[in-house]
Amino acid sequence: MSTTVKTPGTPVKSSSPWSAATVDGSQTRRSLGRIRCFKQCVESMKSGTEPFPAALCYVPAEVEYRIIRAARIAVYAAPSIQSRKLAEIAVMKDGRLSVAREMCNADGQWGQLIKVTLKGKDIPVVADAEVKWVLIFGACKSGTDAIELIDQQKEEEVEPKTFDFLGRNSKKTISRWDKVVEYEFSLKLRDDSCKVAPPDDEMVSLLQTLPSNWTLGHDEVLVQFLSQHIEKDNVNLGSIRDYVESIDVSSLSDDSGPQNLTDDNPETFWETDGSQGQHWIRLKMKKGTIIKKLFLAIDTNDDNYVPSRVLVMGGEADNLKKLSDITVDHSIYGPHDLLVLSDQSDHIPVIELRIKECRDDGIDTRIHGIKIKSSKERDLGISHDLFVKRNLIRFPLLDGFEQDVIYRRAIVLQRLVQLVDSILPYLVPRWDYSIGSYASLEIFRQLLPLSRKRMLLVDQFLRESETSSPSSMPKLYINRRAAMEHRLIPSADVHYKNSVFNQMFDGLKPRDPSQKPLDFRWPPRYEQWWECKFLCEGIIDQGGGFRDSLSDLAEELCPSSASDPVPLPFFVRTPNHGNTDATDCRDTFVPNPHCNEFLRYEWIGKIMGACLRGKESLVLTLPPLCWKMLSGQEVTWTKDFVAVDETEVRLLESMATMDEEAFVAFFGDERTWTCRLSNGAVVPLKPDGADTVVVHSDRAEYCRLVQETRMNECKEQILAIHRGLLQVVPQSVLELLTWQELEKRICGEPEISMESLRNYVCLDELEQEDTKVKYLWEALENFSNEDRSRFVRFVTGRRRLPAQIHVFSGDQMDVLPSSSTCASSLFLPSYSSAKKAEEKIRYAIYNCIAIDTDTNAWEE
């Protein structure tokens, strides 16, 4: 497969984040060198046997550090401060320390000691026969560290050039893997201006070599593990990204979003669009960050948008405590920094800044930026301790491999993704680039979750392809009672005219021939796409009814209850649904192979695309096979179709290895040249197939035809959904997302864990210590995943996270809780016991979904 790249130095679309000044020839050669190395890595991954380039796996045989202050250095028998101490060396300022085979663990960065040089002389340490380890950097920064070492190699880059006795430049030494890649692959005529430091050949070989049973599938699982266990810089966080993992806000107005808090531009600001006193900024801090000073940038010229009182809360996400309560001095004129928190001694995982009051009773507020001064744990790279057995329990494919093997492979994969990040502007230069330009990325698309720059491209492509919001909001009139009657007995209306789906599909069609159909490519801030009027239900739709309509739509397409009939013809339950021996995906659906309503499939694709662009979700429980086909990833029979029809996959595996006697005994004359599709229909595999018996000698051909037929049974339907998706989302976005990311961006988080749910619950005028709050958490702890999904829908109208949930206190005792889906609010009564709370909440979430107010139903 060829690799299509854009020539380095060619300018990209001016609005792209990758736009840059014209580069010189040297930069072009370096970029081409990285691209050539990348192409060789692609070929290595395709072959499965060829090692990665030695330059990518380069490790210097020796790294020299300079000692900047006198200290005593401990020498250990192993890279652990708990191991045997071999010696302790007194070193002086400006001494040299040479190490090899550096590695990181919980203690910090280690190196195997080669020698210590003081005043130009090597000093003895311990017997040469022993492996000697020194701790180069501790895990935590501290101004009182006993010793701090500086990488001598980095200093070389800023020192003035020196010359030999003939007046020639001294050779610059290259000892970083990325620079070695550029040097080795630049194809520049070599000169004597630089040299590569001698490599540690044994270590390079270890990084290149893998066990014979390691496959690309192991790499994919390892990337999943790393993406869940290591922090990635959020490149949207500007100067505070070293300290903050993510920022959430209560609301935003138009383009004045949270990105303006971190762009270091005093002219921009985050502006709220919510209720008075209910505005907040939530900072999820990176591990080890200790706040020394936290500032909010405000401007008193903003009139009644200026905060008057800021309450700072902090702690674990589910247990925030008051840290400070700041009254703002409005006598300070103009833009300035407001100190809201200082001199913290411990790491605070979550900090929430609540703007409780604004000047002159203003309703909304403006904040121009966030600034942080902090100490933080050193980011030393991937830790060897990460790959202990207890962390790999959820990743059984990695079990059985030595910790050193996984650690080394993780380092190589991280380097590979860093290489890709550095050349992404040349591989994917614009959102409307032609299909097929991503061929080089496809082979390791599953490795892209480690990329730090890919999501910037995704967001940029979505922004460049968006259209303006509609001038008027469509209004839908939906009779959910008639839809429920159809859902109970679908056979009574084969044309499903009373379904929510049909009412929405017809209701959103243009009424005027000159009116354009909805394109669903609106900005994310356009949060409500239509207004819903549910007949016989009292409601003023401010977002809750709209979200309810999406939940109802998803429930009709893919019912969440296994016992409910499927009221629409577009999807059918997979054969695994009725297979008690199936090990995976027993609750999923696939497109109906015999449903040819392709325009409606395209419309489903458009709604999916709108969810990907926005904040809503459409919960379609499709197997990985469908998501891979929608994202353009390769699918295979043994790996992917097993999640659709495991019985068929296992049967064909057995048939392929049967001898003739076993074949006849097992199948006899019953197996004909037909196969059963996922919707139950039996189709012939060749002319007169239903009347022709499969014999042993033809079993290989029979297996091939079954696999071909089943793998393509819903191809046309998937292509129709894909066409609709591409009308809303650029092809480039789909090809930069893994299938798991595509599913999550459309459907939301499939599992609602207590940890994730706590992150989205905001207690308003309530404390974690309140009895009713404790009872709420206890009830949710006892809920199943389906129960929690119902709870989220009861409060927000959504079936999956992310969805912000505000909890307010109710006055009554032992009654059903109430909610406002428009405001995503739960009104929680008091309960006499945790059991009573669980009973009332569970009843409400299953039986109180209709939106009823004081409106008389007969007035409709």
Side-chain angles (χ1 to χ4, degrees):
M1 188 182 295
S2 62
T3 301
T4 305
V5 299
K6 186 178 168 114
T7 304
T10 304
V12 298
K13 193 172 181 178
S14 60
S15 59
S16 168
W18 309 108
S19 299
T22 304
V23 294
D24 59 21
S26 176
Q27 176 62 44
T28 300
R29 279 193 298 271
R30 290 197 295 269
S31 298
L32 283 171
R34 288 173 177 253
I35 292 173
R36 292 187 186 99
C37 180
F38 164 70
K39 293 182 68 176
Q40 187 170 325
C41 292
V42 169
E43 296 305 317
S44 297
M45 296 187 75
K46 288 179 182 177
S47 71
T49 56
E50 292 295 321
F52 279 137
L56 183 75
C57 303
Y58 171 83
V59 178
E62 180 179 330
V63 179
E64 188 178 55
Y65 291 84
R66 178 171 63 87
I67 300 167
I68 64 168
R69 64 169 63 95
R72 300 186 68 84
I73 300 178
V75 182
Y76 296 90
S80 169
I81 58 176
Q82 305 300 324
S83 65
R84 180 167 58 94
K85 187 183 290 187
L86 302 176
E88 198 170 79
I89 315 164
V91 295
M92 300 174 61
K93 183 180 178 181
D94 294 329
R96 294 293 188 267
L97 187 74
S98 297
V99 299
R101 303 208 173 178
E102 295 172 297
M103 58 88 66
C104 300
N105 61 20
D107 295 329
Q109 181 175 326
W110 294 84
Q112 287 187 11
L113 181 61
I114 297 176
K115 64 183 178 182
V116 177
T117 306
L118 298 178
K119 296 183 178 180
K121 295 182 179 180
D122 296 347
I123 64 171
V125 183
V126 287
D128 290 338
E130 293 190 73
V131 176
K132 305 173 285 288
W133 290 89
V134 292
L135 184 62
I136 303 170
F137 296 116
C140 295
K141 291 180 179 178
S142 173
T144 59
D145 282 346
I147 182 170
E148 183 177 358
L149 303 172
I150 299 177
D151 186 346
Q152 182 69 14
Q153 188 60 46
K154 291 181 181 178
E155 289 193 331
E156 188 178 86
E157 297 179 1
V158 298
E159 288 179 353
K161 292 181 177 180
T162 58
F163 301 87
D164 62 16
F165 70 98
L166 294 178
R168 296 174 300 191
N169 286 351
S170 297
K171 292 183 179 180
K172 180 180 178 181
T173 303
I174 300 173
S175 63
R176 283 170 39 187
W177 70 267
D178 54 337
K179 298 300 181 185
V180 173
V181 164
E182 293 173 354
Y183 180 79
E184 296 291 343
F185 284 90
S186 65
L187 302 187
K188 179 183 177 182
L189 292 177
R190 299 290 167 78
D191 56 32
D192 294 331
S193 64
C194 59
K195 62 180 180 180
V196 176
D200 183 336
D201 292 327
E202 182 182 355
M203 196 65 198
V204 171
S205 178
L206 286 172
L207 289 175
Q208 287 184 291
T209 306
L210 281 170
S212 58
N213 55 341
W214 189 280
T215 66
L216 183 59
H218 292 85
D219 282 337
E220 293 178 6
V221 173
L222 179 53
V223 167
Q224 293 174 23
F225 174 85
L226 291 172
S227 63
Q228 294 180 24
H229 286 83
I230 64 175
E231 293 178 342
K232 295 192 290 289
D233 281 347
N234 187 337
V235 292
N236 292 309
L237 295 181
S239 59
I240 68 171
R241 66 173 176 264
D242 288 338
Y243 312 121
V244 178
E245 185 176 325
S246 64
I247 294 181
D248 291 319
V249 295
S250 54
S251 63
L252 58 98
S253 175
D254 297 329
D255 292 326
S256 303
Q259 71 276 5
N260 295 339
L261 293 170
T262 59
D263 62 0
D264 296 325
N265 184 353
E267 299 299 322
T268 63
F269 48 80
W270 163 63
E271 182 179 316
T272 61
D273 184 16
S275 303
Q276 188 176 39
Q278 301 298 322
H279 313 306
W280 49 261
I281 303 169
R282 186 176 298 124
L283 308 177
K284 186 177 180 181
M285 310 303 295
K286 285 192 174 181
K287 180 182 176 183
T289 301
I290 299 175
I291 296 293
K292 296 305 177 186
K293 292 185 184 298
L294 174 59
F295 299 91
L296 291 181
I298 63 174
D299 189 344
T300 53
N301 292 315
D302 289 336
D303 297 325
N304 62 352
Y305 286 94
V306 181
S308 290
R309 177 177 166 236
V310 179
L311 183 63
V312 182
M313 308 291 289
E316 297 292 342
D318 60 343
N319 189 21
L320 299 179
K321 300 181 183 299
K322 185 166 75 172
L323 301 179
S324 65
D325 195 337
I326 305 298
T327 300
V328 181
D329 182 3
H330 292 151
S331 64
I332 303 175
Y333 182 75
H336 63 280
D337 294 336
L338 173 68
L339 179 63
V340 295
L341 189 66
S342 62
D343 298 327
Q344 300 300 299
S345 57
D346 298 312
H347 168 65
I348 304 172
V350 176
I351 295 177
E352 190 168 279
L353 308 168
R354 299 179 181 176
I355 293 82
K356 303 303 292 182
E357 298 174 13
C358 292
R359 187 164 66 183
D360 299 332
D361 290 328
I363 295 176
D364 287 299
T365 191
R366 289 177 181 172
I367 305 295
H368 290 255
I370 297 174
K371 300 177 182 178
I372 295 175
K373 292 183 178 179
S374 168
S375 63
K376 184 184 180 296
E377 289 185 359
R378 283 191 175 93
D379 183 12
L380 298 176
I382 298 175
S383 171
H384 187 273
D385 294 343
L386 193 61
F387 307 103
V388 294
K389 290 289 185 182
R390 66 177 180 273
N391 289 342
L392 299 175
I393 291 176
R394 294 177 55 232
F395 302 87
L397 202 60
L398 302 178
D399 194 23
F401 291 97
E402 294 181 2
Q403 190 174 352
D404 286 344
V405 170
I406 304 175
Y407 175 64
R408 290 193 294 265
R409 188 60 174 179
I411 290 174
V412 174
L413 292 180
Q414 187 180 53
R415 289 183 177 186
L416 179 58
V417 173
Q418 289 172 359
L419 180 68
V420 173
D421 274 349
S422 71
I423 58 175
L424 266 180
Y426 308 125
L427 296 174
V428 278
R430 47 187 295 146
W431 70 265
D432 56 353
Y433 212 56
S434 59
I435 297 176
S437 62
Y438 300 81
S440 53
L441 288 176
E442 180 57 36
I443 188 65
F444 63 91
R445 190 195 294 202
Q446 289 299 115
L447 311 187
L448 289 178
L450 293 181
S451 170
R452 295 187 175 189
K453 296 184 177 180
R454 173 182 57 112
M455 297 313 295
L456 263 183
L457 274 178
V458 169
D459 293 340
Q460 178 70 19
F461 294 159
L462 290 175
R463 283 196 301 271
E464 289 181 347
S465 59
E466 71 185 24
T467 58
S468 58
S469 305
S471 57
S472 61
M473 184 182 298
K475 182 174 289 188
L476 293 179
Y477 294 88
I478 297 179
N479 187 335
R480 290 204 291 188
R481 298 187 182 185
M484 181 58 69
E485 292 175 1
H486 167 72
R487 193 181 300 180
L488 294 174
I489 313 176
S491 58
D493 179 15
V494 293
H495 299 293
Y496 54 91
K497 64 180 181 179
N498 289 330
S499 66
V500 170
F501 177 97
N502 195 62
Q503 294 179 67
M504 289 175 63
F505 181 79
D506 287 340
L508 292 175
K509 288 179 179 178
R511 297 293 179 231
D512 188 335
S514 62
Q515 184 181 0
K516 292 183 178 180
L518 300 175
D519 63 16
F520 299 100
R521 289 161 60 181
W522 311 304
R525 64 179 180 275
Y526 186 68
E527 296 183 347
Q528 185 174 347
W529 311 335
W530 53 75
E531 180 184 345
C532 268
K533 181 68 174 176
F534 293 122
L535 303 182
C536 302
E537 299 178 48
I539 178 176
I540 300 176
D541 185 10
Q542 295 180 334
F546 157 67
R547 291 192 293 271
D548 255 16
S549 67
L550 282 177
S551 293
D552 289 335
L553 176 65
E555 188 65 27
E556 286 188 346
L557 290 170
C558 300
S560 56
S561 173
S563 59
D564 288 348
V566 182
L568 298 174
F570 306 107
F571 295 92
V572 295
R573 290 188 170 96
T574 65
N576 278 355
H577 175 264
N579 180 10
T580 56
D581 295 325
T583 57
D584 192 23
C585 296
R586 292 183 57 196
D587 60 345
T588 56
F589 295 74
V590 291
N592 186 346
H594 285 163
C595 180
N596 297 324
E597 298 189 54
F598 297 119
L599 288 179
R600 283 172 167 76
Y601 276 118
E602 286 188 23
W603 185 78
I604 294 171
K606 290 181 181 180
I607 300 296
M608 293 168 69
C611 290
L612 188 152
R613 281 184 168 275
K615 300 178 181 178
E616 303 307 321
S617 60
L618 184 71
V619 185
L620 301 178
T621 47
L622 311 179
L625 174 83
C626 294
W627 293 112
K628 286 185 177 182
M629 293 174 73
L630 286 171
S631 63
Q633 290 183 244
E634 181 183 357
V635 293
T636 63
W637 172 260
T638 54
K639 184 178 180 180
D640 299 305
F641 206 80
V642 70
V644 176
D645 193 345
E646 185 171 340
T647 298
E648 187 87 307
V649 173
R650 303 300 178 220
L651 180 66
L652 295 192
E653 287 177 352
S654 299
M655 180 183 290
T657 59
M658 282 182 179
D659 59 29
E660 187 169 5
E661 182 179 354
F663 183 90
V664 172
F666 190 83
F667 294 108
D669 296 332
E670 297 179 0
R671 179 66 54 165
T672 60
W673 287 83
T674 59
C675 71
R676 186 179 298 274
L677 305 182
S678 292
N679 65 342
V682 177
V683 296
L685 300 175
K686 63 179 186 179
D688 300 323
D691 301 321
T692 308
V693 175
V694 180
V695 296
H696 179 262
S697 58
D698 292 333
R699 70 190 189 286
E701 177 65 7
Y702 173 80
C703 292
R704 185 188 67 80
L705 290 176
V706 170
Q707 291 179 23
E708 182 180 310
T709 302
R710 295 300 307 277
M711 289 286 284
N712 291 292
E713 64 179 11
C714 57
K715 181 179 178 180
E716 294 301 318
Q717 291 75 15
I718 290 285
L719 286 174
I721 296 174
H722 189 256
R723 285 195 298 272
L725 195 56
L726 286 183
Q727 293 179 50
V728 182
V729 178
Q731 173 78 25
S732 52
V733 169
L734 295 185
E735 297 194 359
L736 282 172
L737 297 174
T738 65
W739 69 265
Q740 296 98 327
E741 291 168 332
L742 178 64
E743 178 186 17
K744 188 177 294 186
R745 291 188 71 137
I746 292 174
C747 303
E749 291 283 354
E751 180 181 352
I752 302 179
S753 67
M754 280 304 299
E755 180 182 4
S756 58
L757 188 57
R758 287 176 188 271
N759 289 334
Y760 289 102
V761 171
C762 179
L763 302 178
D764 291 86
E765 308 301 334
L766 284 168
E767 301 294 337
Q768 291 292 338
E769 293 75 18
D770 292 345
T771 300
K772 62 173 62 180
V773 175
K774 292 180 179 178
Y775 286 167
L776 171 65
W777 291 130
E778 191 169 332
L780 293 173
E781 286 277 7
N782 293 332
F783 279 7
S784 66
N785 192 69
E786 173 61 22
D787 292 339
R788 291 177 191 148
S789 176
R790 295 270 185 168
F791 172 77
V792 171
R793 182 182 178 185
F794 175 72
V795 181
T796 71
R798 299 180 175 98
R799 285 170 56 183
R800 291 193 183 185
L801 298 178
Q804 196 67 49
I805 296 172
H806 297 273
V807 180
F808 294 89
S809 180
D811 298 328
Q812 295 176 288
M813 172 70 73
D814 288 343
V815 298
L816 295 175
S818 60
S819 68
S820 169
T821 55
C822 293
S824 298
S825 299
L826 173 71
F827 301 95
L828 186 66
S830 298
Y831 292 106
S832 54
S833 67
K835 183 178 181 181
K836 178 66 72 173
E838 181 179 344
E839 172 191 327
K840 293 293 185 181
I841 295 172
R842 181 178 277 114
Y843 183 88
I845 63 178
Y846 277 91
N847 297 278
C848 304
I849 295 300
I851 304 177
D852 290 312
T853 61
D854 293 333
T855 300
N856 187 333
W858 299 106
E859 293 177 358
E860 300 289 342

